[in-house]
């Protein structure tokens, strides 16, 4: 998929705010199925931009959850435990 620098930047910006791939595609005026296919392929510029943006949004969000948990928030503590369990590598 050939994308302009502007489109790549917009993918990253919108992914940072957790927009759906279909919404991003409409905004940058590309076929939603093509964009979804490239992002799901695990390679290419759209995949890289989407993941960069996603992590730019996800990292501060998780830091906020961790801070709230450290300050005694039970819901935040539960969320952090769920994140830890989800990310934990199981022993096979």
């Amino acid at each position: 998929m050939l994308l302009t620098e502007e489109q790549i930047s917009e993918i990253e910006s919108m992914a940072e705010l957790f927009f759906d791939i279909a919404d991003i595609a409409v905004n940058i005026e590309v076929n939603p199925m093509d964009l979804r296919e490239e992002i799901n392929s695990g390679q290419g510029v759209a995949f890289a931009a989407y993941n960069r943006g996603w992590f730019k949004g996800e990292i501060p969000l998780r830091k906020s959850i961790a801070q709230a948990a450290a300050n005694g928030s039970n819901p935040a503590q539960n969320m952090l435990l769920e994140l830890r369990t989800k990310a934990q590598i199981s022993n096979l």
Side-chain angles (χ1 to χ4, degrees), residues 63-91:
K63 284 181 178 181
S64 294
I65 293 168
Q67 184 61 52
N71 290 336
S73 166
N74 276 343
Q77 290 168 346
N78 289 332
M79 289 175 77
L80 201 54
L81 288 172
E82 287 175 24
L83 288 169
R84 183 189 71 179
T85 300
K86 182 180 170 187
Q88 198 168 23
I89 297 173
S90 63
N91 296 323

Side-chain angles (χ1 to χ4, degrees), residues 1-17:
M1 169 176 254
L2 295 174
L3 297 167
T4 66
E5 288 298 319
E6 185 178 336
Q7 287 171 315
I8 293 166
S9 178
E10 194 64 18
I11 290 170
E12 189 173 328
S13 295
M14 292 182 74
E16 183 177 355
L17 298 171

